Amino acid sequence: MDFKKYVTDKLKELTGLDEQVISSSLETPPDEKMGDLAFPCFVLAKVMRKAPPIIASELAQKFENDEIIDKAQAAGGYLNFFFNRAKYASELISAINRAPEAWGKSDIGEGKTVLVEYSSPNIAKPFHIGHLFSTAVGNSLARIYKHLGYNVQSLNHLGDWGTQFGKLICAYKRWGDKEVIEKDPINELLKIYVKFHEEAADNPSLEDEAREYFKRLEDGDEETTSLWSYFREVSLKEFQRVYDMLGVKFDSYNGEAFYSDKMDEVVDILRKKGLLVESEGAQVVDLSDKNMPPCIILKSDGATIYATRDIAAALYRHRTYNFDKNIYVVGNPQALHFKQIFEVMRRADWEWSEGCTHVGFGLVKLPGKNMSTRHGDVVFLEDVLNESIEKTREIIEKNSPDMEDKDEKAKKIGIGAILYTFLKNSRDKDIIFSWDSMLDFEGESAPYCQYGYARGKSILRRAADIDYSDADMSKAVSDDEYTLIKQLNSFSSAVLDAADKNEPFYINRYVTGLTKAFNKFYNTCPIMKSDVDLETKKARLALVDAVCRVIKTALYLLGIETVESM
């Protein structure tokens, strides 16, 4: 039952106010002692020609002897509602039990398609720690939108085209050893790529040679195309190992190269619409009226650039998927680029471009580390994940030496700790990498939430012989129990907020709050003690079961796995 809807309908009946006005006016009081919902009666003052406190008092009397509202209380100009706790608890726990994996789901996305582009590493370059921000946010958003009923397509727009491949081919032809590369593809390709830049500093003619190789690649030369395909193949194989560790899957790996033959049409469309103007030999779209630099479509030598490719990609996606939303999870430094291409698409009269959204994020800060692959100073993501797993293994070994399945649990907890860190704040904030805070089992961290889940599952295993399916929830309505129950009910709002703002941290914050409320309940409401009567045990076990289900679902939406025991 929707208790807010019940209050809304009742107030509509009593006041004649519009349902939307009432619903949007209802508030959650800042203090639970003030009730579950509050309605400000000021909106009725002019209509009823009475002071708000008088209106609140008169309306309160209309809710006497109500089965759903235990008490309606006037407080100044507000009317505070206290739900029937037993009814509320019973309705909620039953609803969660009916849809254990689907709690918090919605049908708002039914029949709609959302594209989420994320991760997008560069071929033949390291999958570094900076890529995790995009991967973590994008994967979480994809899961969130699926939870809301959308048809979601996860896209990995690989950086697999451009002059850097001319440089890599040049480097490979001079210093590459296929046998060595096969053993450690990314590292070895990075080495020769770095060597190219070192050598080119003293021998600028190498840059001309690299441009010639890329020209051959663009022209479809068999040898250079074969090398490019090889670099792409071995890189994807390496990337897949990291994606498997993170539990990330993509529906498409179409990268920049895929759109290389689709850009001429874009140029023609923009030219026919009169959008292209010449600027220093280049063909651009003038955006000065929007206080933006011109968007370059063709360079002075006639070559296209990544803006042209991104516009071609958007057009292809519209035709292929007919999307409602096309989300680009790309770092904040690219914000201007996306503003430019979205504006160009708008001027091309592509109405569907309104569904294109840039979801930016901050930087990853590691003391003393510079992530420029050009100079080779880079922190490999796989190394960070493995180190987190190893550190978690050490903590487990120290604190729980007899724990079963240590390796599997260390992997889930270690990787979950990193993902939580990348998602716990607004994505615009920079990430300050700290092992101590990430692997804290007591603070705001993935291990803290995972431990709360494991503690709940441990209680349920101890109570395996108790059937709580018919629990009388009126036995679990103390303040701490009721706070926990209300937390469960707010999950769907957290999911909707996360999707509405493309901010997974709403779910992160929710699951942390739920775990805190559960730990308080655990410490104040004994469950399996001998002096607890059977009916109270059943009610509290039903509550524990519901909490575990919701923690697991919430963590899943963040890309984090749970463990059954810790």
Side-chain angles (χ1 to χ4, degrees), residues 485-499:
I485 288 166
K486 288 203 295 182
Q487 275 277 79
L488 290 172
N489 194 41
S490 61
F491 179 49
S492 57
S493 295
V495 178
L496 288 169
D497 283 342

Side-chain angles (χ1 to χ4, degrees), residues 527-557:
I527 302 170
M528 297 304 292
K529 287 187 177 180
S530 57
D531 58 346
V532 179
D533 67 89
L534 180 60
E535 292 307 312
T536 300
K537 281 182 182 178
K538 285 182 177 182
R540 290 176 177 171
L541 286 170
L543 181 51
V544 172
D545 190 18
V547 169
C548 287
R549 294 176 190 276
V550 177
I551 289 177
K552 183 171 186 174
T553 301
L555 289 178
Y556 170 81
L557 294 182

Side-chain angles (χ1 to χ4, degrees), residues 87-107:
K87 183 80 171 172
Y88 186 92
S90 179
E91 292 275 352
L92 182 70
I93 299 303
S94 294
I96 294 175
N97 287 337
R98 286 195 301 270
E101 302 298 327
W103 182 244
K105 282 194 174 183
S106 166
D107 60 0

